[in-house]
Amino acid sequence: MVRKAKRRSRDEILDAMRADKDLDLARHDPAATFGWDKDGARAALRGDLATVHELQTRLFAEGTRSLLVVLQAMDAGGKDGVLRNVLTGLNPAGVEVTSFGVPTDLELAHDYLWRVHDAGPSRGRIGVFNRSHYEDVLVVRVKHLVPASHWRKRYDHINRFERMLVDEGTAIVKLFLHISSEEQRSRLQDRLDSPDERWKFRLGDLDDRRLWPQYMDAYRDALARTSTAHAPWYVVPGDRKWVRNLAVAHVLRDALEHLDPQYPEPEAGLDGIIVT
Ligand code: AMP
Ligand code: MG
């Protein structure tokens, strides 16, 4: 007889994923299931998304606060999959997705937070960063794009910047989609072999892959140093897409439930009006 693992609750899953200053990524299994199976997780995802949708509607109507979702991952880590599978079904008018690539000359002519601040969600919106200011302590560190004396100061800048956003009405959650090196190998190979996906592949992806251990060190430090009560990091198991989708939906739902957005008071004097 196969003993079924006990499904972990939403709160247990969120606790298990939350990063703290002693973060050890080796203790976060990229293939974790939290006791769920695929069919159960898909059904639970639908439930979460229905709630997220309703809360988004309220957030939009309330129009005073916003939610910023930061997505970070290695190549093929599933950022696009999260956008497709979890952030669909929302009202597109209320979602602003920004992808951060190699900075342009104009962006490089400013401080590294300039383009980030500009892309933050406006009131009532959910903003999603596909990559983010964290690249400035990840790729920038690993590829030595600025001296260590520069990027080392950025953890503090980032904490203070995010604190300011929170104080001004933007809730923040940060998701690291954590895949194993073997899973990345297999996904990159699939990309190369599939005519529909080959366009996503860049030779530079292989350079980054060779730097995997350095990236994991940089991720560890970034998450440990910038996971705060007001802007926590979650280490999301990324090898199984159905677990990843459910885990991300849990984070979004939890963040929106904490915001608890309310419909604004309707105008006075609407009772009994018959529209003719
Ligand atoms: P992708 O998200 O795979 O389309 O690729 C975007 C690329 O832009 C990645 O290789 C990132 O490492 C790179 N990138 C994003 N932000 C920065 C940054 N601040 N400095 C240097 N490279 C960056
Ligand atoms: Mg890429």
Side-chain angles (χ1 to χ4, degrees):
M1 203 184 96
V2 181
R3 261 192 46 226
K4 274 182 92 177
K6 188 176 168 300
R7 285 178 176 178
R8 303 239 249 139
S9 70
R10 186 148 48 96
D11 283 343
E12 288 170 332
I13 292 174
L14 292 172
D15 282 346
M17 295 195 298
R18 208 173 280 115
D20 62 22
K21 65 177 175 25
D22 302 318
L23 174 68
D24 178 1
L25 284 175
R27 294 176 62 173
H28 288 258
D29 178 7
T33 62
F34 302 122
W36 285 76
D37 59 44
K38 206 181 214 175
D39 289 342
R42 288 204 173 133
L45 173 65
R46 281 193 293 276
D48 270 359
L49 292 186
T51 304
V52 165
H53 191 180
E54 131 120 55
L55 290 166
Q56 183 210 7
T57 306
R58 289 172 181 265
L59 183 75
F60 190 78
E62 184 191 72
T64 55
R65 295 175 296 165
S66 55
L67 173 65
L68 172 61
V69 181
V70 171
L71 277 181
Q72 283 288 159
M74 295 293 284
D75 281 309
K79 298 193 295 336
D80 294 329
V82 163
L83 289 169
R84 269 197 317 275
N85 293 290
V86 186
L87 294 151
T88 48
L90 296 179
N91 171 5
V95 184
E96 301 166 352
V97 180
T98 309
S99 297
F100 291 96
V102 178
T104 62
D105 288 345
L106 179 64
E107 288 166 350
L108 283 175
H110 294 78
D111 70 86
Y112 67 98
L113 290 175
W114 180 72
R115 65 175 183 165
V116 177
H117 196 183
D118 187 53
S122 41
R123 300 186 197 287
R125 262 63 171 209
I126 298 179
V128 183
F129 285 178
N130 180 357
R131 301 189 192 269
S132 65
H133 42 307
Y134 285 95
E135 293 293 327
D136 293 285
V137 287
L138 294 166
V139 63
V140 165
R141 162 176 167 173
V142 171
K143 299 261 186 77
H144 308 288
L145 302 182
V146 306
S149 55
H150 280 217
W151 60 253
R152 276 210 195 96
K153 292 185 181 153
R154 292 181 173 174
Y155 305 112
D156 286 341
H157 302 159
I158 289 172
N159 284 335
R160 283 185 246 147
F161 169 64
E162 292 179 354
R163 173 84 250 177
M164 182 278 290
L165 294 182
V166 170
D167 288 347
E168 293 289 322
T170 298
I172 305 177
V173 286
K174 302 179 290 198
L175 302 165
F176 171 47
L177 310 180
H178 182 37
I179 57 167
S180 60
S181 169
E182 170 52 26
E183 181 67 17
Q184 190 200 42
R185 188 201 59 71
S186 137
R187 289 187 192 177
L188 287 177
Q189 189 66 55
D190 285 350
R191 268 189 190 178
L192 275 170
D193 297 345
S194 147
D196 298 340
E197 293 201 50
R198 199 172 236 201
W199 64 273
K200 287 193 196 174
F201 191 93
R202 285 193 206 99
L203 278 172
D205 294 351
L206 296 179
D207 299 332
D208 283 336
R209 177 164 169 74
R210 276 188 283 275
L211 293 166
W212 185 276
Q214 288 89 327
Y215 271 107
M216 288 307 112
D217 285 349
Y219 266 109
R220 196 214 77 86
D221 287 349
L223 271 59
R225 299 200 53 178
T226 66
S227 192
T228 55
H230 58 273
W233 271 107
Y234 294 90
V235 181
V236 175
D239 279 7
R240 299 173 209 255
K241 295 172 182 172
W242 52 271
V243 177
R244 173 200 75 201
N245 293 342
L246 180 64
V248 171
H250 278 355
V251 173
L252 294 184
R253 176 174 173 171
D254 185 66
L256 287 165
E257 283 181 348
H258 273 94
L259 277 176
D260 191 23
Q262 303 294 326
Y263 289 116
E265 281 296 314
E267 250 181 77
L270 299 186
D271 285 349
I273 292 183
I274 310 286
V275 180
T276 56

